[in-house]
Short mmCIF file of all heavy atoms in Angstrom, two decimals:
data_model
loop_
_atom_site.label_atom_id
_atom_site.label_comp_id
_atom_site.label_asym_id
_atom_site.label_seq_id
_atom_site.Cartn_x
_atom_site.Cartn_y
_atom_site.Cartn_z
N GLY X 33 -34.58 130.79 254.24
CA GLY X 33 -33.43 131.45 254.85
C GLY X 33 -32.62 132.30 253.88
O GLY X 33 -31.75 133.06 254.31
N PRO X 86 -22.77 127.58 222.04
CA PRO X 86 -23.98 127.46 221.22
C PRO X 86 -24.64 126.08 221.27
O PRO X 86 -25.80 125.94 220.90
CB PRO X 86 -23.49 127.75 219.80
CG PRO X 86 -22.14 128.34 219.94
CD PRO X 86 -21.59 127.99 221.28
N SER X 198 -50.07 128.90 204.53
CA SER X 198 -49.60 128.57 203.18
C SER X 198 -48.84 127.24 203.13
O SER X 198 -48.89 126.54 202.13
CB SER X 198 -48.72 129.71 202.66
OG SER X 198 -47.63 129.88 203.53
N ARG X 238 -47.14 129.48 213.34
CA ARG X 238 -47.48 130.51 212.37
C ARG X 238 -46.52 131.69 212.43
O ARG X 238 -46.17 132.26 211.41
CB ARG X 238 -48.91 131.03 212.66
CG ARG X 238 -49.96 130.17 212.08
CD ARG X 238 -50.06 130.35 210.57
NE ARG X 238 -50.80 131.54 210.19
CZ ARG X 238 -50.56 132.27 209.12
NH1 ARG X 238 -49.60 131.95 208.31
NH2 ARG X 238 -51.29 133.33 208.86
N VAL X 247 -49.32 120.86 224.51
CA VAL X 247 -50.63 120.33 224.15
C VAL X 247 -50.76 118.93 224.76
O VAL X 247 -49.77 118.23 224.94
CB VAL X 247 -50.82 120.30 222.62
CG1 VAL X 247 -49.92 119.28 221.94
CG2 VAL X 247 -52.28 120.08 222.24
N TYR X 290 -55.93 119.11 223.34
CA TYR X 290 -56.49 120.11 224.24
C TYR X 290 -55.38 120.52 225.21
O TYR X 290 -54.29 119.92 225.22
CB TYR X 290 -57.68 119.52 225.02
CG TYR X 290 -57.28 118.40 225.96
CD1 TYR X 290 -57.19 118.61 227.34
CD2 TYR X 290 -56.93 117.14 225.47
CE1 TYR X 290 -56.79 117.61 228.19
CE2 TYR X 290 -56.52 116.12 226.32
CZ TYR X 290 -56.46 116.36 227.67
OH TYR X 290 -56.03 115.37 228.51
N MET X 405 -28.76 145.31 242.15
CA MET X 405 -27.76 144.71 241.29
C MET X 405 -27.15 145.81 240.44
O MET X 405 -27.78 146.30 239.49
CB MET X 405 -28.40 143.64 240.38
CG MET X 405 -29.13 142.55 241.14
SD MET X 405 -28.10 141.63 242.33
CE MET X 405 -27.16 140.62 241.22
N ALA X 419 -19.84 156.93 245.19
CA ALA X 419 -20.51 157.49 246.39
C ALA X 419 -22.00 157.19 246.37
O ALA X 419 -22.61 156.96 247.42
CB ALA X 419 -20.25 158.99 246.46
N THR X 476 -46.54 165.74 256.33
CA THR X 476 -46.69 165.81 257.78
C THR X 476 -46.59 164.40 258.37
O THR X 476 -46.85 163.41 257.68
CB THR X 476 -48.06 166.40 258.19
OG1 THR X 476 -49.07 165.48 257.76
CG2 THR X 476 -48.29 167.77 257.58
#
Side-chain angles (χ1 to χ4, degrees):
S198 59
R238 278 285 280 147
V247 69
Y290 65 104
M405 304 302 285
T476 65

